[in-house]
């Protein structure tokens, strides 16, 4: 196949083949976001959890998550994934000096950490992000369910979440003083 010499419009992205090759050799950097609604005092009143269908056709719960592209800041990656998963009218409130509440390390082999991802070894910076707008899931998310902090920290929800993300959600709630 000949090349026309046109620069790649998105050089920070990998083809499916390149991504598969990299996933077998290097840890990848991800950002994850727990979308929340807050009251006038900044207290978390609701937590947003996504519903997705897996490649095997199973329904699972998860949070906003995705890779950081080459040359992209963490804030840009967070904003891109929040908009991709929650829609352009979600209006996430990203702080200039946002600090993750946890660094989660995902392994393809169970038992190394509480987080698993059969595709790869990944390191994720996890953030709690207030959103003020209307959320209409896009891409592969089927719906967004708003829950109270008590509902979001339940054992039942944790069992429905993929890759150990129930523990990550509980850590998010603990970081904002809402773990019941």
């Amino acid at each position: 196949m000949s090349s026309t010499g046109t620069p790649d419009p998105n050089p920070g992205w990998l083809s499916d083949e390149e991504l598969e090759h990299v996933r077998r050799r290097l840890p990848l950097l991800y950002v994850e976001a727990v979308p929340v609604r807050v009251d006038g005092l900044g207290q978390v009143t609701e937590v947003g959890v996504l519903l997705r269908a897996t490649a095997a056709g199973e329904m699972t719960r998860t949070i906003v998550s995705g890779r950081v592209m080459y040359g992209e800041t963490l804030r840009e990656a967070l904003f891109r994934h929040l908009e991709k998963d929650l829609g352009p009218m979600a209006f996430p409130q990203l702080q200039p000096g946002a600090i993750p509440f946890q660094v989660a390390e995902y392994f393809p082999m169970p038992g190394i950490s509480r987080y698993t991802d059969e595709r790869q070894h990944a390191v994720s910076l996890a953030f709690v992000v207030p959103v003020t707008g209307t959320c209409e899931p896009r891409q592969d998310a089927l719906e967004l369910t708003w829950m109270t902090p008590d509902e979001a920290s339940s054992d039942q929800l944790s069992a429905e979440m993929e890759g150990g993300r129930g523990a990550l959600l509980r850590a998010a709630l603990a970081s904002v003083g809402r773990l019941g």
Side-chain angles (χ1 to χ4, degrees), residues 21-144:
H21 179 76
V22 170
R23 278 183 165 156
R24 286 191 309 265
R25 289 171 173 71
L26 298 170
L28 295 177
L29 180 61
Y30 278 69
V31 289
E32 294 186 285
V34 176
V36 297
R37 302 274 192 203
V38 297
D39 64 16
L41 297 174
Q43 296 294 312
V44 172
T45 58
E46 294 180 298
V47 179
V49 180
L50 295 166
L51 178 67
R52 290 200 172 126
T54 67
E58 298 172 359
M59 302 304 275
T60 184
R61 295 285 183 173
T62 192
I63 58 176
V64 173
S65 178
R67 289 189 313 272
V68 177
M69 293 191 314
Y70 181 79
E72 184 177 47
T73 67
L74 294 175
R75 283 175 48 100
E76 290 167 342
L78 270 170
F79 188 83
R80 179 171 56 82
H81 289 293
L82 284 159
E83 183 175 82
K84 177 183 71 98
D85 284 350
L86 304 181
M89 302 304 288
F91 302 130
Q93 305 298 299
L94 298 175
Q95 300 300 314
I99 297 173
F101 68 85
Q102 185 164 337
V103 176
E105 194 168 11
Y106 292 84
F107 287 93
M109 305 77 80
I112 297 175
S113 89
R114 65 173 61 178
Y115 308 110
T116 59
D117 185 335
E118 70 276 353
R119 302 168 301 163
Q120 65 196 343
H121 176 186
V123 176
S124 179
L125 305 175
F127 298 83
V128 173
V129 180
V131 294
T132 60
T134 303
C135 297
E136 295 181 13
R138 305 180 332 163
Q139 301 286 326
D140 60 343
L142 301 174
E143 73 177 31
L144 176 72

Side-chain angles (χ1 to χ4, degrees), residues 1-17:
M1 180 169 170
S2 66
S3 172
T4 61
T6 305
D8 183 350
N10 192 354
W13 207 245
L14 300 171
S15 71
D16 289 342
E17 295 80 26

Side-chain angles (χ1 to χ4, degrees), residues 129-166:
V129 180
V131 294
T132 60
T134 303
C135 297
E136 295 181 13
R138 305 180 332 163
Q139 301 286 326
D140 60 343
L142 301 174
E143 73 177 31
L144 176 72
T145 304
W146 289 104
M147 303 178 174
T148 66
D150 286 341
E151 292 168 333
S153 64
S154 73
D155 289 339
Q156 178 184 350
L157 180 67
S158 188
E160 295 176 22
M161 297 192 79
E162 61 186 7
R165 285 189 175 88

